[in-house]
Every structure is written in structure tokens, then in C-alpha cells.
Amino acid sequence: MKFLDSIEIKVKAGRGGDGVVSFMRSKGKPKLGPDGGDGGTGGSVLMVGTHRLNTLSSLRYRAIYSAEDGVRGGSKRCRGKCGEDLILPMPVGTVVYDDATGEKIGELLAEGEELLVAIGGRHGLGNVHWVRSTHQAPEEFRPGAPGEERDLKLELKLLADVGLAGFPNAGKSTLLSRVSAARPKIADYPFTTLVPNLGVVELAGDDYVQRAFVMADVPGLIEGASEGRGLGLQFLKHLERTSVITYLIDVSNPEQQPAEALRILMDELANFSPELAGKRSLVVLNKIELVEPADLELQAQLLTSAGHEVLTISAVTGQGLNNLKQRLYTLVSEEKHNQSLLVDPVPVVDMDERTNSPHA
Ligand SMILES: Nc1nc2c(ncn2[C@@H]2O[C@H](COP(=O)(O)OP(=O)(O)OP(=O)(O)O)[C@@H](O)[C@H]2O)c(=O)[nH]1
Ligand SMILES: [Mg+2]
């Protein structure tokens, strides 16, 4: 059972820009005074908490995260530009450790909370700083200092975004194993799953914004579960913080129409918690390769006309799984967006203000 997402990355702050040695010049005249400017401070690496992410998947495809170097100074006392900070959005709840020492650096507990993980290099000094009455043509300068480099280990306790509710044998564990790296036990007898399993479902994305959500497979429900039949309902508390409930139904079961199965599942959830039953939901008909297309169409239509959103899949052949992942991701994002409107949004970081204050 994997309830913890964890990843190792390297962060590298920018190097400070060198100071320079330079002298004022005027045509035909010897060197006047020194005018070598300072370098810019190197950019730092910061993390900021956001509720919009729920896994560490977005960090999976790059090993090093570097902030920008400061620029070297110029003549005429010109100061080099400071390197821009690198700001990494992190799911709220991420705990950050120094991977070399195991020391905990900090954690992101709230939307917009910031954590400095690598400090930008000190800026260099130009030769103007060394001028004295007895030392009019200084050749001294200070180079920029390297930025801090650190190996980090990040850990996040996973919370499910999507919960699978279904009768025993509907194929919940099979579905989870097909769309994530989770490997729950699968078997053709009821109540194979005794404890919830979580899996991270990743969608194709570019190398920075990896789209992902967390799916929870829970034990099967049966009629009367709210009165303690089967495995009861206590495990449903794991679904209370999900954004979307997926009702997974075996459409090939000759003994039960999907509409009837759905009614029972929804009633049981409502008995456990009206809030849970009122969540955004999707009805997924599974094992479609076992039924006639015309029959499937009819069953889906019955549910659609009753106001449900219906998708059809086969967890065994893989049919419809990409579509399901995309749709669930969209629903989760919409629900999260609605939830994040209730919390403070991530503040817009003013780069100039930040990088103009030298860390020297
Ligand atoms: N033909 C077919 N069989 C499937 C499909 N999905 C799952 N199964 C089979 O259905 C049986 C039950 O699958 P599980 O994934 O264990 O079902 P579950 O919903 O997790 O069951 P519980 O853990 O007992 O609640 C297994 O034999 C699976 O191979 C499908 O799309 N088509
Ligand atoms: Mg199972």
C-alpha cells in the first residue's frame, strides 16, 4: 500500500555575478578614477504551497532545478542584473528534507506558504570599492560567490482525489492497476480488497507540468453495508476528502441492471454520509467487451437520461481507459479550482522586489 509519494531532486541557486575592474576614460587622457560595477546576486530556489497540485509527479521528469545566475558588473559603475529566483509550486503538505543529512528543512502547510531551499550566491564587488587616497587605481575586485546546491528529498502524504465505489468484483482493483503503478490484489471472488489502496494516475504532460491525480480503490460495497453487511462502510471515510466519486459497475452482470446497481450504491453512500453522496460523480460501466454493443448502448442511455454522466470501459482490454483518465482529471481540476476559490490564492511574486535585495 503506497500512501506516501516521495521523490529526490537537486536544487541549485544561481551564482553571483562578478565585480569588474574598470576605469573612467576620456579621449587622449590617462586613466581617471575606477568605475567597475558590482555583479548581481544569484537567484534563489523557493518552493510555494498550492492546493492545485496533489502529487509530486510534476517533479518526476527533471533531476535538477536551477535558478538564474547574476550578471557580472559593467563599467561606469553599472550593477549587473540579479538572477531570477526559481519558484517551484508544491502540493500543500509537502515535507522537505536535506537528502544528505536527513535534516528536515521545512514543510508547506498552507496555500502560498514559501520555503527557501537554496540561497542565491553573493554578488561580486567592482574595483570602485577599493579606491583610497593613496590607492587611486585599484585592480582589486571580488568575484561572485557560487549559489547554494542541495540534494532534497520530498515527501507527501497522498490524499485521494477520486474514489472508486462499486460492488465486489466490479473490477475496481483491476482498474486501479491499469491506470497507476499500484498493484492491488485482483481475484474473481468478492471482497478481495480488504483495505483501501491508493495509486497515482499520471497523464501525458510536458516536462514541467505533469498532470496527475490520486485514485483510491476501496473494498466492495453491498446492499445493507451501512448496517454492517459485508465489510461495512467504515473504509468510506478514506473517500471523504476526494473530489470525485466514480461508481464502477459490472455491466455484464445478468442478475443486476446497472441502474439498479447504481441506486443501491448511491443509497449506501448516502447512509454513510450525505456529503459523500453529494459529491461530483461519474458512472463507469466496466467489462464492456462481454456485452453486445446494442445492449451496452441501451444501458448507458438509460443512465444518461436519468441525469448521470456515463463512460464505458474494459479494465481488462484497456478500451476507454485513456478517455476515463482525461475526464477524471478534468473533473478533479474543476472541483479543485472551486475549492481553491475558498482558500487564499497563491500570491503573485514580485521578482524585482525580491531579487533587488542582495543576500550579501
Ligand atoms: N472480462 C472482464 N473481466 C474483468 C474486467 N475488469 C475486471 N475483471 C475481472 O473481474 C474480477 C474482479 O476484479 P477485481 O478488480 O478484483 O474486482 P474488485 O472490484 O476490486 O473486487 P473486490 O476487491 O472484491 O471488491 C477479476 O477476475 C477481474 O479479472 C473487465 O473489464 N472485463
Ligand atoms: Mg478489489
Side-chain angles (χ1 to χ4, degrees):
M1 233 188 307
K2 187 184 167 211
F3 284 89
L4 203 66
D5 202 4
S6 95
I7 192 168
E8 279 131 51
I9 60 168
K10 188 191 261 306
V11 287
K12 193 168 171 289
R15 189 183 171 84
D18 293 340
V20 301
V21 176
S22 159
F23 296 93
M24 280 181 272
R25 287 178 197 275
S26 189
K27 240 190 196 157
K29 294 203 178 139
K31 277 182 194 173
L32 298 170
D35 72 349
D38 298 348
T41 306
S44 296
V45 182
L46 296 119
M47 294 180 166
V48 57
T50 171
H51 284 291
R52 286 173 200 210
L53 292 173
N54 207 23
T55 72
L56 299 172
S57 297
S58 59
L59 299 162
R60 200 135 284 153
Y61 295 95
R62 213 200 288 179
I64 303 186
Y65 291 85
S66 314
E68 208 178 41
D69 290 342
V71 175
R72 76 193 290 265
S75 56
K76 299 183 186 157
R77 294 177 176 246
C78 269
R79 167 123 204 225
K81 198 172 157 289
C82 293
E84 275 199 9
D85 289 346
L86 177 70
I87 297 176
L88 298 172
M90 289 287 149
V92 167
T94 304
V95 188
V96 185
Y97 299 92
D98 185 314
D99 201 26
T101 64
E103 171 213 357
K104 179 170 159 184
I105 297 172
E107 57 194 312
L108 298 154
L109 293 173
E111 182 81 23
E113 187 172 329
E114 286 184 7
L115 184 66
L116 179 63
V117 289
I119 302 176
R122 189 175 62 165
H123 64 79
L125 296 174
N127 65 340
V128 293
H129 295 275
W130 278 266
V131 69
R132 303 283 179 273
S133 55
T134 55
H135 189 50
Q136 297 285 332
E139 297 282 342
E140 293 93 337
F141 72 102
R142 188 179 80 190
E148 199 178 3
E149 249 183 82
R150 260 172 148 176
D151 290 312
L152 302 180
K153 183 177 167 95
L154 309 175
E155 279 185 358
L156 176 71
K157 208 173 150 220
L158 287 178
L159 289 175
D161 298 303
V162 171
L164 298 178
F167 282 95
N169 273 341
K172 302 177 294 298
S173 302
T174 309
L175 172 59
L176 184 72
S177 73
R178 287 300 300 259
V179 296
S180 78
R183 290 292 170 261
K185 188 173 172 193
I186 294 164
D188 62 356
Y189 54 83
F191 302 118
T192 314
T193 303
L194 299 173
V195 287
N197 296 293
L198 295 185
V200 175
V201 182
E202 292 183 348
L203 287 83
D206 59 46
D207 82 332
Y208 194 65
V209 189
Q210 175 69 36
R211 300 180 301 148
F213 61 88
V214 181
M215 183 182 267
D217 162 33
V218 298
L221 291 171
I222 56 172
E223 188 160 27
S226 49
E227 279 105 54
R229 285 190 60 206
L231 295 177
L233 286 178
Q234 276 318 300
F235 52 79
L236 286 181
K237 66 178 186 296
H238 295 281
L239 302 189
E240 281 183 321
R241 295 190 57 181
T242 59
S243 312
V244 178
I245 299 289
T246 295
Y247 293 101
L248 191 70
I249 293 171
D250 176 357
V251 71
S252 72
N253 183 354
E255 283 152 33
Q256 196 175 45
Q257 296 284 297
E260 174 64 1
L262 180 63
R263 186 192 62 73
I264 297 171
L265 292 171
M266 291 181 99
D267 281 354
E268 292 300 332
L269 249 64
N271 285 342
F272 176 75
S273 147
E275 200 201 329
L276 192 58
K279 279 181 192 282
R280 190 91 179 247
S281 66
L282 188 63
V283 177
V284 176
L285 301 180
N286 187 32
K287 310 195 187 182
I288 58 171
E289 88 286 4
L290 298 179
V291 297
E292 292 297 325
D295 192 30
L296 176 64
E297 173 109 349
L298 180 71
Q299 297 297 345
Q301 209 121 59
L302 279 172
L303 291 163
T304 310
S305 55
H308 302 288
E309 180 177 349
V310 182
L311 290 184
T312 58
I313 63 163
S314 168
V316 161
T317 70
Q319 206 184 329
L321 292 186
N322 271 335
N323 197 21
L324 174 64
K325 278 161 59 171
Q326 297 282 349
R327 185 61 190 144
L328 284 174
Y329 178 77
T330 305
L331 290 175
V332 167
S333 306
E334 282 174 15
E335 289 304 301
K336 285 223 163 125
H337 178 72
N338 293 340
Q339 286 163 18
S340 72
L341 294 179
L342 302 173
V343 296
D344 296 333
V346 181
V348 177
V349 178
D350 185 336
M351 291 289 182
D352 292 338
E353 206 173 90
R354 190 185 284 294
T355 47
N356 278 344
S357 60
H359 303 266

